[in-house]
Amino acid sequence: DKTGHGLMEFEAFARTMSEKLLERDPLEDLQRAFRLFDDDHTGKISLRNLRRVAKEIGDRLEDDELQAMIDEFDLGQDGEISEQEFYAIMRDDV
C-alpha cells in the first residue's frame, strides 16, 4: 500500500487479484478438484466417492440421485466418471 496503513485501494486489489487468477493453471485446478473426489486413487469417480463428497458438504442426496448424476455424464457407460469425463463436465463440454 502506498500510505503505509496496510490498506489497498479497490482498483489495485482488483488488478492484483486478476493477475494472480490469470497466473493459475486451469488444468491443474481441475486435476486438484478431481483428486478431491477420487480419494481411493482409481482414476474414476464412483458412487462411493460421490456419496462421500455429498456427505462432506452436507448434501443429503439419495444414492439413486447420485447415481443419476453419474449416469448423466458417464460417456463411457462404465458406471463411473473418468478424469476426462470430469474435465468435460467442469468445462461444460458435455
Side-chain angles (χ1 to χ4, degrees), residues 11-68:
E11 289 178 23
F13 171 77
R15 185 175 50 254
T16 301
M17 291 307 295
S18 294
E19 290 169 3
K20 291 281 185 197
L21 289 173
L22 290 174
E23 290 173 6
R24 294 179 68 160
D25 179 4
L27 181 57
E28 187 178 308
D29 288 343
L30 287 176
Q31 290 168 333
R32 189 175 310 117
F34 183 81
R35 288 191 303 266
L36 290 174
F37 284 89
D38 184 26
D39 66 332
D40 53 4
H41 310 289
T42 63
K44 304 252 179 155
I45 298 171
S46 65
L47 176 60
R48 187 192 70 72
N49 297 136
L50 200 53
R51 185 185 308 123
R52 177 189 51 78
V53 171
K55 183 179 178 184
E56 286 176 3
I57 64 171
D59 209 332
R60 296 177 186 212
L61 296 171
E62 299 293 326
D63 280 358
D64 59 331
E65 295 173 291
L66 295 171
Q67 187 63 53

